[in-house]
Amino acid sequence: MKKIFTLLGLVSTSLADESISALLEKYEQAGRLEYKTVQEGEGHVILFSKEDLERMQAYTLKDVLKTIKFYHVYSDRYGRYLFNYSLLFSQNVTTVRLFINDHEVSAVSTRTPFSIWDNIPLDNIDHIEIYLGESAIKFGNEYASVLIKLYTKDPSKENVIYTRISKDLKSGYGFSIYDAREVRSNLSYMLMFNISKFDRKSFDSLSRDAQIHYGYLHIDYSNLHLEASYISKDSDIFLGSALDNRLDDGNFEGNHKYISLTTRLLEDKSLKLTVSFDEIKTYTYEKDQNGLLSCIPNPSIIFQTAKVKTLENSSNIFIQKEYTFDNNKLLISGIYKNRRYELKKEGILINTIPLYTKGKADEEYFSLLMQGESKINKNIFFVAGIRYDNYQRPSNFEDIQGFMIKGEFVHKLPKNIYYKIFGGSFFVPTAFIEVANNPNLQVQKNKFITVELEKKYKKSDIILAVGHTSIKDGIYFNPWTLKFQNLQEELSFTFYSIYAKLKISKTGKILLDIFKIDPNKDILPFSSKEGAGLHVFEKIGKFDTYIGIIYRDGYLFDNIEIDDGIDLTVAVKYRLNDKINIGIKGENLLNKALKVPYVGISQIDTYPSIDRKIYITLVSSF
Amino acid sequence: MNRHIIFVFLFVLNICNNIVKAEPLRSEQEIKIEVKILEKISVDIVKKNPVKVYVIGYNKNYLKKYAKKLLVVENCNEADIIIAKENNEQLKNTCKKKIPGIALNYLLLKENPNFIGALFWYKGRPNLVFISFRLEKFKIKLPKSYGRYIEEKIW
């Protein structure tokens, strides 16, 4: 993974009389997908290149997300991996946007991708861009506190049949196969399938095992990009909403399918048009003799059995026009989404009387964005953007509308020193599930400013960052009342980070990040306030190695002491030849990954989110 | 479902006139370096300046824009070298003379014995390969710096 400041500067324009090997090296660099996709003006970008993902043996999204500073990956009551700001322990993360290329995958009702996509396989992914902060507004996304973009490999540059078989030391496995190739000069395709079983550690009878089936099709015909995908997930649901934290029985089944068409029109390809459709189905079954708390329809009802079916669909249009002048760019874009959400719930009360709840809601969302980028001179660059969002909802829900404003200023000083200032004012729309649970919930309003100072050396790079965020009407899930609520008081916090990258050889590097979050009030002791990550990548002969240590500090949760978390991952890959490699990876080897508290009616239980696991993997490409 | 159909219809109407002649999206820098590689290979093979090039399935405008030492010709029989991405009928029908070629995909190199080398992408990385017995067939001697790209066999 690496922080990039300017990619364009890496490719020299002087090509005359260069050796053939030097030209090929530059050709490879210039052909890399991230040169075309990374948007420096959209905030603090963390990039995981293809080589990083291969060396980390990162085959699912969680493997990457757990390394991100300021954030933590945790397993929620339903056994799903969620990704959220380190201070927060939300049951419904609505502000993280996950994209596969240009298509966002998030549920309509919960506004989160993680209920189904938390274990998406990464075999066909070229690189991952993670935009921290709230500046990313131009990708056709709604509000994002963090935006994750998974870019698939360019099939015209693959020309391969790839297979991967991974096995852990229990009954978990992963199998992926894809065929990606150029058929002729303007036609290429990728077709991928994956089946995975995640055999996670059980605690007594509490299981969070999951199985997924995933299919992905990608066709590039001239400048038309067609993408279709299907993922289904079948999982145990761990604690579910059992009052006693001991669920008797439960199961989750869900699937999400989408199709997306993108093209770039006009001679200079400056007009981008995307049309897409999504359909998401879920079925959740829970049973507990001691009762289940229910968010819907009324938090006070206690069921013994609950069966919930949801059907969601969304039709989306995104249009974007870019005007380029000498040193300036103007971007205008519009989004329209038409969504429907249906819910059917059968709850059996303690006295065995079934209670049926049905609900249906439509939402229309449209958004207009204008963003300018200007290079005042070769050392000064700034971005300013404004976006209007409007959510039209059924009469029993409040419509939402408002503006988001952002700005970024980059100044290059002598001696390879840069400073960047980001800032903005945003609002976080409520999700259906939140307002159904609490109709009086207000939208959350955020403001932030971040200053970064970067010094580049020949073989290293150091970035110091400090920022401040204030949150008004913060939405949070109260684990004691099982209600979504607005914080009565304004929450603000200051955050600090140090990032260092050191190139230790032609093929090796060390990355270090340290962060600290300092809230103005000690009102959210839900997770760590400090953390660090150390990552070493090296290639030794035919061995690719990666060592990663992720530290998160312990904390006190309602008088429960949560110990410091240390997650040590070691991955070694041996290349038998150009086509076959064998890898072994150990995750949470010290068995000290951070534990997460789960609130029951009479006790709080703590369990680690990341299991101690060993994986063996065989990858072939023909 | 009806609204889905309308969306698709409008979308297809909008794009149908634009995709037929469109090029895949690649950066100018990538295209420029690709052309520089083709130019360098051509000059090192033919050892003259300019080199007359006959092009099949590749955008001639790229060569005209970025390669000063290549001259694109319209008649295959006048060419010193062929640069081809597709093994189409044009190649069989128009080229009566045996002219060495550089393929832009590996299959073409495999199938057509007049291609002496290929520049192609494999597993996300560019590859350059020359086949030694085909170089000998055309009595081509490449500079020493090409040594690591010369192979005995076709895969």
Side-chain angles (χ1 to χ4, degrees), chain A residues 593-613:
Chain A
L594 193 72
K595 288 187 176 176
V596 171
Y598 300 89
V599 178
I601 198 160
S602 57
Q603 86 277 23
I604 294 171
D605 297 297
T606 61
Y607 302 105
S609 290
I610 308 286
D611 289 351
R612 183 187 208 175
K613 282 262 182 188

Side-chain angles (χ1 to χ4, degrees), chain B residues 45-56:
Chain B
I45 290 169
V46 179
K47 296 184 175 60
K48 63 185 254 197
N49 186 2
V51 177
K52 291 178 185 172
V53 185
Y54 184 68
V55 178
I56 300 167

Side-chain angles (χ1 to χ4, degrees), chain A residues 330-348:
Chain A
L330 177 66
L331 189 90
I332 297 172
S333 65
I335 307 168
Y336 173 78
K337 293 186 179 185
N338 187 320
R339 299 151 157 170
R340 172 164 292 178
Y341 170 57
E342 289 179 37
L343 177 141
K344 286 179 189 169
K345 178 165 182 172
E346 179 190 332
I348 298 174

Side-chain angles (χ1 to χ4, degrees), chain A residues 11 27 157-159 263 578, chain B residues 4 15 29 34 121 123-124:
Chain A
V11 181
Y27 185 41
K157 292 190 166 86
E158 286 298 305
N159 299 302
T263 189
D578 275 356
Chain B
H4 292 192
I15 61 169
Q29 188 69 15
E34 181 177 274
W121 287 86
K123 291 202 306 192

Side-chain angles (χ1 to χ4, degrees), chain A residues 306-359:
Chain A
K307 295 174 186 173
V308 181
K309 272 186 186 178
T310 65
L311 170 65
E312 310 180 19
N313 57 51
S314 179
S315 309
N316 322 299
I317 298 178
F318 174 59
I319 186 162
Q320 188 174 69
K321 173 78 177 101
E322 192 169 273
Y323 298 92
T324 305
F325 309 100
D326 290 344
N327 288 316
N328 305 304
K329 271 184 190 173
L330 177 66
L331 189 90
I332 297 172
S333 65
I335 307 168
Y336 173 78
K337 293 186 179 185
N338 187 320
R339 299 151 157 170
R340 172 164 292 178
Y341 170 57
E342 289 179 37
L343 177 141
K344 286 179 189 169
K345 178 165 182 172
E346 179 190 332
I348 298 174
L349 301 171
I350 285 174
N351 60 7
T352 71
I353 300 166
L355 180 74
Y356 296 97
T357 309
K358 270 187 183 181

Side-chain angles (χ1 to χ4, degrees), chain A residues 74 76 82 84 88-94 475-477 484:
Chain A
Y74 59 95
D76 72 354
L82 301 186
N84 205 358
L88 308 174
F89 176 61
S90 173
Q91 283 296 310
N92 187 41
V93 182
T94 64
I475 298 171
Y476 75 105
F477 183 78
F484 292 98

Side-chain angles (χ1 to χ4, degrees), chain B residues 13-95:
Chain B
L13 269 185
N14 265 306
I15 61 169
C16 62
N17 288 324
N18 291 279
I19 59 170
V20 180
K21 290 182 181 174
E23 290 284 331
L25 198 64
R26 297 202 297 157
S27 73
E28 277 302 300
Q29 188 69 15
E30 181 187 341
I31 293 164
K32 186 177 175 180
I33 300 172
E34 181 177 274
V35 170
K36 288 290 171 192
I37 292 170
L38 293 171
E39 181 183 39
K40 182 165 180 61
I41 295 169
S42 303
V43 170
D44 287 339
I45 290 169
V46 179
K47 296 184 175 60
K48 63 185 254 197
N49 186 2
V51 177
K52 291 178 185 172
V53 185
Y54 184 68
V55 178
I56 300 167
Y58 187 74
N59 193 329
K60 292 171 191 169
N61 293 327
Y62 296 159
L63 298 178
K64 288 174 184 170
K65 191 173 175 183
Y66 293 121
K68 288 175 190 165
K69 296 175 186 171
L70 300 183
L71 181 68
V72 178
V73 294
E74 299 301 324
N75 183 346
C76 178
N77 297 311
E78 291 174 11
D80 300 312
I81 199 162
I82 294 169
I83 293 175
K85 187 142 191 175
E86 288 166 14
N87 194 12
N88 61 10
E89 290 301 307
Q90 193 184 346
L91 189 60
K92 290 175 193 163
N93 298 338
T94 56
C95 290

Side-chain angles (χ1 to χ4, degrees), chain A residues 11-13 15 17-21 23-24 26-28 30-31 36 50-51 54 156-160 182 184-186 221-224 261-266 269 273-275 277 313 315-317 336 338 340 578-579 621-622, chain B residues 3-5 7-8 10-12 14-15 18-27 29-37 40-41 44 57-58 62 69 85-86 104-105 119-128 145-146 148-149 155:
Chain A
V11 181
S12 163
T13 50
L15 300 168
D17 300 324
E18 288 197 71
S19 72
I20 189 69
S21 57
L23 278 171
L24 282 167
K26 285 186 175 171
Y27 185 41
E28 182 180 349
K36 298 165 208 161
K50 183 168 47 189
E51 292 78 14
E54 284 174 4
S156 70
K157 292 190 166 86
E158 286 298 305
N159 299 302
V160 76
E182 187 173 36
R184 56 174 201 259
S185 58
N186 63 350
Y221 175 58
S222 294
N223 66 345
L224 177 66
L261 288 149
T262 300
T263 189
R264 289 175 186 269
L265 307 173
L266 306 180
K269 297 166 188 167
L273 181 64
T274 301
V275 175
F277 314 104
N313 57 51
S315 309
N316 322 299
I317 298 178
Y336 173 78
N338 187 320
R340 172 164 292 178
D578 275 356
K579 298 182 190 311
S621 308
F622 289 95
Chain B
R3 63 173 191 257
H4 292 192
I5 293 165
F7 282 146
V8 172
L10 288 172
F11 185 76
V12 171
N14 265 306
I15 61 169
N18 291 279
I19 59 170
V20 180
K21 290 182 181 174
E23 290 284 331
L25 198 64
R26 297 202 297 157
S27 73
Q29 188 69 15
E30 181 187 341
I31 293 164
K32 186 177 175 180
I33 300 172
E34 181 177 274
V35 170
K36 288 290 171 192
I37 292 170
K40 182 165 180 61
I41 295 169
D44 287 339
Y58 187 74
Y62 296 159
K69 296 175 186 171
K85 187 142 191 175
E86 288 166 14
L104 293 170
N105 72 56
L119 174 68
F120 61 98
W121 287 86
Y122 174 67
K123 291 202 306 192
R125 292 179 179 93
N127 284 251
L128 179 64
S145 56
Y146 285 81
R148 60 193 280 204
Y149 306 110
W155 304 342

